[in-house]
Amino acid sequence: MGAGLVGSLLSLYLAQRGHEVSVFERRADLRKQGLVEGRSINLALSDRGWRALEGVGVGEEIRRVAIPMYRRVMHDQHGNLSYQPYGQDNQAIYSVSRAILNRTLLDLAEQDPRIQLRFNQQCLGVDLRARTLDLRDAQTGTRQTQSFRRLFGTDGAFSAVRAAMQRTDRFDYSQSYLEYGYKELNIEPGPDGAWLLEKNALHIWPRGQYLMIALPNLDGSFNCTLFFPYEGEHSFAALQTPAQVQAFFEAVFPDVVPLMPELQAEFFQNPTGSLVTVRCFPWAFDDDVLLLGDASHAIVPFYGQGMNAGFEDCSVLNELLEEHGADWPAIFGEFQRQRKPDADAMAELALYNFEEMRDRVADPRFLLQKKIESKISAQYPGQWLSLYSQVTFSHIPYAQAWQNGQRQEQIMRRLMPHIQAEADYDRPEVQQQLKAEIVQNHS
Amino acid sequence: MGAGLVGSLLSLYLAQRGHEVSVFERRADLRKQGLVEGRSINLALSDRGWRALEGVGVGEEIRRVAIPMYRRVMHDQHGNLSYQPYGQDNQAIYSVSRAILNRTLLDLAEQDPRIQLRFNQQCLGVDLRARTLDLRDAQTGTRQTQSFRRLFGTDGAFSAVRAAMQRTDRFDYSQSYLEYGYKELNIEPGPDGAWLLEKNALHIWPRGQYLMIALPNLDGSFNCTLFFPYEGEHSFAALQTPAQVQAFFEAVFPDVVPLMPELQAEFFQNPTGSLVTVRCFPWAFDDDVLLLGDASHAIVPFYGQGMNAGFEDCSVLNELLEEHGADWPAIFGEFQRQRKPDADAMAELALYNFEEMRDRVADPRFLLQKKIESKISAQYPGQWLSLYSQVTFSHIPYAQAWQNGQRQEQIMRRLMPHIQAEADYDRPEVQQQLKAEIVQNHS
């Protein structure tokens, strides 16, 4: 159930192992809609996502339409810029259009004779014991009962499959919203499709209690997102007129206002989205039903890991299919046992990074610490990988990355009082303390 | 929606203020079923519950069928007993049959011309914006759309009204289960309806990782509940045969086995219940819908406050109706603002007390500390009320009680190392330290 990013990718993995797959999707086939390609929501694809795409042979095709972002560019209130590289050398996260990605996966699925795609199929209910879906065709209005042998719930944060599981005994569930909403806005392309901000970067306007980000599109535009409180002095509630919006943006995001000619219209036409974290357990109902992706672990977008985590679910499941063959109870059981702590850790990390992006990245001390960490990484390769790199450029399980990151943060708290500038890193007492910490960290 | 304990009591409060009330209940009218009166589940009614009942004039009637329990009686593995009074003097919690209580409230509601009771009405859905209920008559199978002006969701931990609210944007929700289930068992009456254990007490068999409790019934029987892990060495999963059950009970609850002739049959016939905590917010949808009782704050039963908290919801709402007249936005808004922190605190307290009942009450040091606290209470009246008394015998908001209790616990942790026996309480240095603590606690 669900032919979004995770559902369409999963169907390819299942078909690759010889299974017959029917994919039911509530919405219409997005390939038949006239979207402006360059303007859909874009997502940051990183190593976990790439690996999962490469597992079905679609990595190269996506790489051609992905824009590498090598660093964060922070814009302060006066338009001054500061920089933070994401990783070493050529490491980057990639801005990819959600629509292009989904279409590519659906095209692949359609070519596979073992996969049937069925659109406009709203799931009204699931009878877990009878193993049937109650489906309503949105075009004809007809209802049908669809039986299944094994159901994969990849129907997103508001999953209908999960809703059925929520009513079973001992199903732990929570949905928790931030007091922040988001608004999508656009930066127009320059003449001849030129990018009016640095193209190969993720742009951040950190403002303490709120922030805006921008990711590049192929057509020279940028997709911006304002993350903003619902209530309070600076909030959606406080911006009620076009004039108020214009004045606010000119005051706090002055360098971007000239690049947003449609600002006022977009601000009021585009919906305000909410930001939810969903946690639940179990993810499996017997060996009949399994939740993956946002259906079992929707997270806030501040680490750029929502899609990557969902794609990694597919990689992990694929490994278990390899390992356990047709032993579905083992596959489902091991999947949720192994993957739940990682999903929980990633949810925490995403919430943690919200603070980092809206507040800490504007702090020179924070940026200095990141530079020092980068030096440590270079000096102690294999013994120090920044938390960000572990999450973004490695396949270390999220829970372990989070644990490592917390331990490293403790070390930095002891080290940083001795460092006032980048050059202090080379002072003998700093080097000595660092060495002792590294030894201890690995003992 | 819902004619359980909170729903039927609330209808009386609303009618008392002149409102026309229709009450829809999923189940059949329990007054028409041939229950054995003395044997239904019993609940511990305490001061908050009594006040709410007295507000609709039903306190006296219930008091006649309530059995006061003045103390906890702890049974150890050899059948030895120890004691812990609940409060001062004649303070008690009261064992009351849920069925008798619900029947009495329904009888009262039925006599009120402003209240219409409708049973066998299953709520299949709520259209919050259209203000309609989708009801199915369980007897005739017919469905009808029932419009409402204002809807009170008192339909319990698995509330259908709340399920509709859960699908609205920014609705925070969690349901969280313990790894423990419960099993109802019975202690038979003695000859001539005599009570075979001390009548006016709540009996506890604390066993560290699990426990059993017993509350007295009017007919001389006791209603027992075993709270027991689902999995593990001592667990429901480990007791698969009547012989295993018998051997286990004889080993760990030897004094009670002779009083339970139906033990083996009951253990396998009675269902294993699960233990859920439900938290959500908001509780109101505009000024149209409000959740009360278990629908908004279901808790585990270990403080005996689930029903009392739901009844207190009715008292609080009644006060707000008094204060704000027909200003429903103010009433609903203030109700949830005021009551949510108390419900959250009570949920924490209930989980906290699980540990106390299954483990700490078996510890002589814990019982000594409780005796000392009781002495402090007597010496400093008005300045020291035990946490248990605040929750059970006062109307101090739960959140404040919990805060006070945590502060007192800190004091006891500093005091108890100086106390090895009850008599030590009178030692000058103990008295001096106590006095200093009390002064500081109130400064």
Side-chain angles (χ1 to χ4, degrees):
Chain A
M1 190 70 225
L5 296 173
V6 175
S8 50
L9 179 62
L10 179 64
S11 72
L12 292 167
Y13 271 105
L14 292 170
Q16 197 168 275
R17 300 203 158 267
H19 297 291
E20 298 286 328
V21 189
S22 297
V23 187
F24 299 92
E25 165 60 43
R26 182 170 58 85
R27 279 166 290 209
D29 187 344
L30 57 81
R31 295 170 301 171
K32 293 180 183 159
Q33 291 158 358
L35 275 184
V36 182
E37 282 284 346
R39 295 295 176 85
S40 88
I41 293 167
N42 34 27
L43 299 163
L45 194 50
S46 56
D47 284 31
R48 294 170 204 263
W50 284 118
R51 178 150 90 175
L53 291 174
E54 282 154 10
V56 294
V58 75
E60 271 317 297
E61 193 170 346
I62 298 298
R63 219 170 269 275
R64 282 196 292 274
V65 291
I67 300 174
M69 300 181 287
Y70 297 102
R71 57 182 186 174
R72 286 178 176 160
V73 175
M74 274 71 72
H75 298 239
D76 81 6
Q77 207 132 346
H78 309 290
N80 301 318
L81 306 182
S82 54
Y83 305 92
Q84 188 192 348
Y86 277 123
Q88 308 286 336
D89 308 324
N90 277 323
Q91 283 183 323
I93 58 176
Y94 291 78
S95 178
V96 186
S97 150
R98 170 192 278 268
I100 294 180
L101 195 48
N102 209 155
R103 281 163 193 227
T104 308
L105 292 169
L106 288 173
D107 283 343
L108 264 184
E110 193 144 72
Q111 289 158 25
D112 193 312
R114 283 156 301 196
I115 302 176
Q116 299 291 324
L117 298 176
R118 299 278 310 279
F119 294 95
N120 303 300
Q121 300 297 315
Q122 186 188 3
C123 177
L124 300 177
V126 183
D127 188 327
L128 298 168
R129 277 166 222 290
R131 296 209 300 266
T132 55
L133 290 168
D134 180 5
L135 297 174
R136 184 181 163 279
D137 189 301
Q139 289 181 312
T140 64
T142 54
R143 282 172 75 158
Q144 62 144 331
T145 300
Q146 171 73 44
S147 70
F148 60 83
R149 176 59 200 91
R150 237 170 287 280
L151 173 65
F152 296 87
T154 53
D155 48 347
F158 303 99
S159 169
V161 178
R162 188 191 63 224
M165 287 171 66
Q166 194 194 311
R167 286 189 289 274
T168 62
D169 196 24
R170 297 174 67 198
F171 187 78
D172 283 335
Y173 175 72
S174 82
Q175 59 186 43
S176 171
Y177 285 86
L178 290 187
E179 301 287 309
Y180 287 74
Y182 68 88
K183 183 77 77 178
E184 307 268 348
L185 301 166
N186 281 290
I187 290 176
E188 294 297 311
D192 302 321
W195 287 269
L196 296 178
L197 300 174
E198 180 177 323
K199 174 191 176 186
N200 291 113
L202 190 152
H203 295 265
I204 308 186
W205 290 259
R207 295 293 180 268
Q209 287 309 299
Y210 54 93
L211 83 152
M212 189 163 67
I213 63 169
L215 278 77
N217 292 317
L218 292 169
D219 70 350
S221 67
F222 285 83
N223 195 264
C224 297
T225 313
L226 171 69
F227 297 97
F228 205 42
Y230 281 105
E231 309 283 340
E233 192 191 348
H234 301 302
S235 70
F236 285 113
L239 299 183
Q240 291 294 336
T241 68
Q244 285 171 333
V245 169
Q246 190 72 26
F248 178 74
F249 271 70
E250 281 172 4
V252 303
F253 306 125
D255 61 339
V256 86
V257 172
L259 315 180
M260 289 180 158
E262 301 300 322
L263 168 62
Q264 297 177 29
E266 286 179 348
F267 193 90
F268 291 102
Q269 277 161 19
N270 294 351
T272 303
S274 56
L275 297 160
V276 70
T277 301
V278 170
R279 299 176 180 89
C280 67
F281 201 80
W283 293 354
F285 180 83
D286 294 342
D287 63 325
D288 298 330
V289 183
L290 185 68
L291 303 175
L292 297 97
D294 284 358
S296 49
H297 51 74
I299 61 179
V300 294
F302 303 106
Y303 226 114
Q305 285 293 312
M307 169 187 59
N308 289 289
F311 280 2
E312 197 176 51
D313 282 353
C314 297
S315 304
V316 169
L317 188 69
N318 188 50
E319 283 164 19
L320 293 169
L321 288 166
E322 177 72 35
E323 189 179 339
H324 296 287
D327 186 352
W328 290 94
I331 292 163
F332 282 17
E334 179 61 19
F335 180 80
Q336 64 179 359
R337 193 200 61 73
Q338 175 182 333
R339 196 73 183 137
K340 169 67 172 163
D342 292 327
D344 285 344
M346 194 55 243
E348 289 307 305
L349 281 162
L351 290 165
Y352 165 85
N353 226 42
F354 182 28
E355 254 177 85
E356 175 160 324
M357 288 180 75
R358 69 170 202 255
D359 201 358
R360 287 193 291 270
V361 292
D363 176 1
R365 284 292 294 173
F366 173 84
L367 295 179
L368 176 61
Q369 177 177 327
K370 292 296 147 191
K371 276 186 197 150
I372 299 297
E373 282 191 61
S374 169
K375 284 170 179 285
I376 301 175
S377 254
Q379 189 178 350
Y380 293 97
Q383 295 185 275
W384 190 287
L385 196 57
S386 75
L387 174 57
Y388 188 86
S389 289
Q390 291 180 63
V391 170
T392 309
F393 303 124
S394 91
H395 303 283
I396 297 168
Y398 288 129
Q400 196 185 319
W402 185 212
Q403 214 171 24
N404 295 343
Q406 285 170 307
R407 213 166 45 227
Q408 291 174 352
E409 182 61 27
Q410 291 305 316
I411 294 177
M412 294 311 293
R413 282 194 196 161
R414 293 189 289 267
L415 207 61
M416 286 303 290
H418 307 290
I419 296 176
Q420 302 314 317
E422 232 179 305
D424 292 344
Y425 180 72
D426 299 316
R427 286 168 52 202
E429 62 271 33
V430 169
Q431 282 291 318
Q432 205 166 14
Q433 185 182 339
L434 177 60
K435 194 174 170 185
E437 295 276 12
I438 298 269
V439 169
Q440 201 169 4
N441 193 34
H442 283 80
S443 65
Chain B
M1 190 70 226
L5 295 172
V6 175
S8 50
L9 179 63
L10 179 64
S11 73
L12 291 167
Y13 270 106
L14 291 170
Q16 196 168 275
R17 300 206 158 263
H19 298 290
E20 298 286 329
V21 188
S22 296
V23 187
F24 299 91
E25 165 60 41
R26 183 170 59 85
R27 279 165 291 211
D29 188 344
L30 58 79
R31 296 168 301 172
K32 294 180 181 159
Q33 292 158 354
L35 276 183
V36 182
E37 282 284 349
R39 294 296 176 85
S40 88
I41 292 166
N42 35 28
L43 299 163
L45 194 51
S46 57
D47 285 32
R48 295 171 204 262
W50 284 117
R51 178 150 91 176
L53 291 173
E54 282 154 10
V56 294
V58 74
E60 271 318 296
E61 194 169 344
I62 298 299
R63 220 169 268 277
R64 282 196 294 274
V65 291
I67 300 174
M69 301 181 286
Y70 298 103
R71 58 182 185 174
R72 286 176 176 161
V73 175
M74 273 71 72
H75 299 240
D76 80 7
Q77 207 131 345
H78 309 290
N80 301 318
L81 305 182
S82 55
Y83 305 92
Q84 187 192 350
Y86 278 123
Q88 308 287 335
D89 309 325
N90 278 322
Q91 284 181 322
I93 59 177
Y94 291 79
S95 177
V96 186
S97 149
R98 170 192 278 268
I100 293 180
L101 195 48
N102 209 154
R103 282 163 193 228
T104 307
L105 292 169
L106 287 173
D107 283 344
L108 263 183
E110 191 143 73
Q111 288 159 26
D112 194 311
R114 283 157 302 197
I115 301 175
Q116 300 291 324
L117 298 176
R118 300 277 310 280
F119 294 95
N120 304 300
Q121 300 296 316
Q122 187 188 2
C123 177
L124 299 177
V126 183
D127 187 328
L128 297 168
R129 278 165 221 290
R131 296 209 302 267
T132 56
L133 289 168
D134 179 7
L135 296 174
R136 183 179 165 280
D137 189 300
Q139 289 182 312
T140 64
T142 54
R143 281 172 75 158
Q144 61 144 331
T145 300
Q146 172 72 44
S147 70
F148 61 82
R149 175 59 199 92
R150 237 170 286 280
L151 172 65
F152 297 87
T154 54
D155 48 347
F158 304 98
S159 169
V161 178
R162 188 192 62 226
M165 288 172 67
Q166 194 195 311
R167 287 189 288 273
T168 62
D169 196 24
R170 297 174 65 198
F171 187 79
D172 283 335
Y173 175 72
S174 82
Q175 59 186 41
S176 170
Y177 286 86
L178 289 186
E179 302 286 309
Y180 287 74
Y182 67 89
K183 184 75 79 177
E184 307 268 347
L185 302 165
N186 282 289
I187 290 175
E188 294 296 311
D192 302 322
W195 286 268
L196 295 178
L197 300 174
E198 180 177 323
K199 173 190 175 187
N200 292 113
L202 190 151
H203 296 265
I204 308 187
W205 290 259
R207 295 293 180 267
Q209 287 309 301
Y210 55 93
L211 82 153
M212 188 164 66
I213 64 170
L215 279 77
N217 292 316
L218 292 168
D219 70 350
S221 67
F222 286 82
N223 195 267
C224 297
T225 313
L226 171 68
F227 297 97
F228 205 42
Y230 281 105
E231 310 283 339
E233 191 191 349
H234 302 302
S235 69
F236 285 113
L239 299 184
Q240 292 293 338
T241 68
Q244 286 171 331
V245 169
Q246 190 72 25
F248 178 74
F249 270 70
E250 281 173 4
V252 302
F253 307 125
D255 61 339
V256 86
V257 173
L259 315 180
M260 289 180 159
E262 301 300 322
L263 169 61
Q264 297 177 29
E266 286 180 348
F267 193 90
F268 292 102
Q269 277 159 22
N270 294 350
T272 303
S274 56
L275 297 160
V276 71
T277 301
V278 170
R279 299 176 179 90
C280 67
F281 201 79
W283 293 354
F285 181 83
D286 294 341
D287 63 324
D288 298 330
V289 182
L290 185 68
L291 302 174
L292 297 96
D294 285 357
S296 49
H297 51 74
I299 61 180
V300 295
F302 304 105
Y303 225 114
Q305 286 293 312
M307 168 186 60
N308 289 288
F311 280 2
E312 197 177 52
D313 283 352
C314 297
S315 304
V316 169
L317 187 69
N318 187 49
E319 283 164 20
L320 293 170
L321 289 166
E322 177 72 35
E323 190 179 337
H324 296 286
D327 185 353
W328 290 95
I331 293 163
F332 282 18
E334 178 62 18
F335 180 80
Q336 65 179 359
R337 193 199 61 73
Q338 175 182 333
R339 197 71 182 139
K340 169 67 173 165
D342 291 328
D344 284 344
M346 194 55 243
E348 289 307 305
L349 281 161
L351 290 165
Y352 166 85
N353 226 42
F354 182 30
E355 254 177 85
E356 175 159 324
M357 288 180 75
R358 68 171 202 254
D359 201 359
R360 287 191 292 270
V361 293
D363 175 2
R365 283 293 295 173
F366 173 84
L367 297 178
L368 176 60
Q369 177 177 326
K370 292 295 147 193
K371 276 186 196 150
I372 299 297
E373 282 191 62
S374 168
K375 284 170 179 283
I376 301 175
S377 254
Q379 188 177 349
Y380 293 97
Q383 296 185 272
W384 190 287
L385 195 58
S386 75
L387 173 57
Y388 188 87
S389 289
Q390 291 180 62
V391 169
T392 310
F393 304 125
S394 92
H395 302 283
I396 297 169
Y398 288 128
Q400 195 183 319
W402 185 211
Q403 212 171 25
N404 294 342
Q406 285 169 306
R407 213 165 45 227
Q408 291 174 352
E409 182 61 26
Q410 290 306 316
I411 294 176
M412 293 312 291
R413 282 194 195 162
R414 292 188 289 267
L415 206 63
M416 285 304 290
H418 308 289
I419 297 176
Q420 302 314 318
E422 232 178 306
D424 292 343
Y425 179 73
D426 299 316
R427 285 168 52 202
E429 61 271 32
V430 169
Q431 282 291 317
Q432 206 166 11
Q433 185 183 341
L434 177 60
K435 195 174 170 188
E437 294 276 13
I438 298 269
V439 169
Q440 201 169 3
N441 193 32
H442 283 79
S443 65

